[in-house]
């Protein structure tokens, strides 16, 4: 019965190490996705420290690949030193992922204040040219999120761009995609997105941070199983002199 338990623990451990390799790729993908998306919205969120969870999760992803390699080798070879190293590194990574979750929640709670503080400034800097970073950011957000203005399309009437051009229109990025020949004229409000961008930008940024949080939580839970399985193997190996090798089926002297 005990031998069955230890064999099961070793099998689970090898399987978990394969999952760690998959997790490494997924975590790196999530981190890269956060970086790319942040680049599209960075004008609305000036606190670069928000990227700390993304940086950390990419580092954890790289480390998980190494952990999976160490874990597989240590399990197959029945190396006590390797398994101890494996458990210690897993524990450190687990603590790091808990820190990522905490930081994710902290920065997620700051998103709304950051956006509220910066969005008016970004809209005032809009000049309608593709060469201007703020203008590109606003046009991108309005097209992607299907919004116009800060709270509604009429907010454009309070911007410097609207007052300078005085053509009673908003940027064409406010136009609904199914409307042909839309010029952004305020005389045809039905052609424009009715919803403002502020709430949608906040929602999008919070969603991005939740991806990081859930990814860290999921793989932290998997790592707990990995640590428990490694500990079972280590304890059984120390107590049972007739410890069976996973790879050869022979006995350990």
């Amino acid at each position: 019965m005990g031998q069955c338990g230890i064999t099961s623990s070793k099998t689970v451990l090898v399987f978990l190490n394969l999952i760690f390799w998959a997790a490494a790729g997924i975590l790196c993908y999530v981190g890269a996705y956060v970086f790319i998306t942040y680049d599209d919205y960075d004008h609305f969120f000036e606190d670069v420290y928000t990227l700390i969870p993304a940086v950390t999760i990419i580092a954890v992803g790289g480390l998980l690949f190494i952990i999976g390699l160490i874990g597989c080798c240590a399990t197959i070879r029945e190396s006590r030193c390797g398994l101890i190293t494996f458990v210690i590194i897993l524990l450190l990574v687990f603590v790091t992922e808990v820190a990522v979750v905490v930081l994710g929640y902290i920065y997620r709670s700051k998103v709304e204040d950051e956006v509220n503080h910066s969005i008016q400034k970004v809209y005032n800097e809009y000049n309608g040219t593709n060469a201007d970073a703020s203008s590109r950011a606003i046009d991108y957000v309005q097209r992607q999120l299907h919004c116009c203005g800060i709270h509604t399309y009429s907010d454009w009437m309070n911007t410097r761009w609207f007052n300078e051009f005085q053509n009673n229109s908003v940027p064409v990025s406010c136009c609904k995609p199914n409307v042909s020949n839309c010029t952004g004229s305020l005389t045809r409000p039905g052609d424009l997105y009715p919803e403002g961008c502020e709430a949608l930008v906040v929602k999008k940024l919070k969603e991005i941070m939740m991806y990081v949080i859930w990814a860290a939580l999921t793989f932290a839970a998997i790592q707990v199983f990995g640590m428990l399985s490694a500990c079972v193997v280590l304890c059984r190996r120390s107590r049972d002199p007739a410890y069976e090798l996973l790879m050869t089926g022979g006995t350990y002297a």
Side-chain angles (χ1 to χ4, degrees), residues 157-193:
M157 298 172 67
N158 301 318
T159 63
R160 184 172 57 189
W161 174 83
F162 184 90
N163 293 325
E164 286 179 356
F165 283 86
Q166 296 183 350
N167 57 0
N168 198 37
S169 67
V170 297
V172 292
S173 57
C174 283
C175 294
K176 296 176 181 178
N178 59 338
V179 177
S180 58
N181 302 320
C182 177
T183 61
S185 174
L186 290 175
T187 59
R188 299 179 61 182
D191 294 351
L192 310 175
Y193 295 123

Side-chain angles (χ1 to χ4, degrees), residues 29-30 32 41 56-57 63-64 96 99 110 125 132 137 163 166-167 173 181 231 233 244:
Y29 171 80
V30 171
Y41 294 88
T56 307
I57 209 168
L63 193 56
L64 272 181
T96 303
K110 294 172 61 179
E125 291 176 351
D132 179 63
N163 293 325
Q166 296 183 350
N167 57 0
S173 57
N181 302 320
C231 287
V233 173
E244 184 179 341

Side-chain angles (χ1 to χ4, degrees), residues 21-215:
W21 283 337
I26 294 172
L27 289 176
C28 288
Y29 171 80
V30 171
Y33 172 76
V34 172
F35 266 103
I36 293 170
T37 309
Y38 179 86
D39 187 56
D40 296 327
Y41 294 88
D42 61 346
H43 287 81
F44 303 95
F45 200 80
E46 299 175 351
D47 189 355
V48 295
Y49 293 107
T50 308
L51 289 176
I52 289 177
V55 173
T56 307
I57 209 168
I58 290 176
V60 168
L63 193 56
L64 272 181
F65 182 82
I66 299 173
I67 289 172
L69 185 62
I70 293 173
C72 277
C73 292
T75 305
I76 292 174
R77 289 176 173 271
E78 315 296 354
S79 169
R80 178 179 176 82
C81 180
L83 285 172
I84 291 174
T85 303
F86 173 73
V87 172
I88 291 173
I89 296 176
L90 265 187
L91 181 60
L92 292 174
V93 173
F94 176 79
V95 172
T96 303
E97 287 181 331
V98 171
V100 167
V101 172
V102 173
L103 287 173
Y105 273 109
I106 290 173
Y107 288 120
R108 188 174 183 272
S109 65
K110 294 172 61 179
V111 164
E112 190 166 357
D113 290 338
E114 285 284 338
V115 172
N116 291 344
H117 179 263
S118 61
I119 195 168
Q120 183 67 58
K121 176 184 174 183
V122 176
Y123 269 83
N124 283 332
E125 291 176 351
Y126 184 88
N127 62 21
T129 63
N130 196 49
D132 179 63
S134 295
S135 299
R136 288 199 308 272
I138 289 175
D139 286 335
Y140 174 83
V141 166
Q142 292 191 152
R143 288 192 179 99
Q144 288 295 115
L145 301 184
H146 297 173
C147 58
C148 184
I150 299 175
H151 303 291
T152 182
Y153 60 81
S154 62
D155 292 331
W156 277 104
M157 298 172 67
N158 301 318
T159 63
R160 184 172 57 189
W161 174 83
F162 184 90
N163 293 325
E164 286 179 356
F165 283 86
Q166 296 183 350
N167 57 0
N168 198 37
S169 67
V170 297
V172 292
S173 57
C174 283
C175 294
K176 296 176 181 178
N178 59 338
V179 177
S180 58
N181 302 320
C182 177
T183 61
S185 174
L186 290 175
T187 59
R188 299 179 61 182
D191 294 351
L192 310 175
Y193 295 123
E195 192 170 0
C197 293
E198 183 179 38
L200 294 178
V201 169
V202 170
K203 180 182 177 182
K204 182 68 174 179
L205 291 172
K206 285 186 174 182
E207 284 178 357
I208 293 169
M209 200 57 66
M210 282 306 299
Y211 293 152
V212 174
I213 292 171
W214 280 112

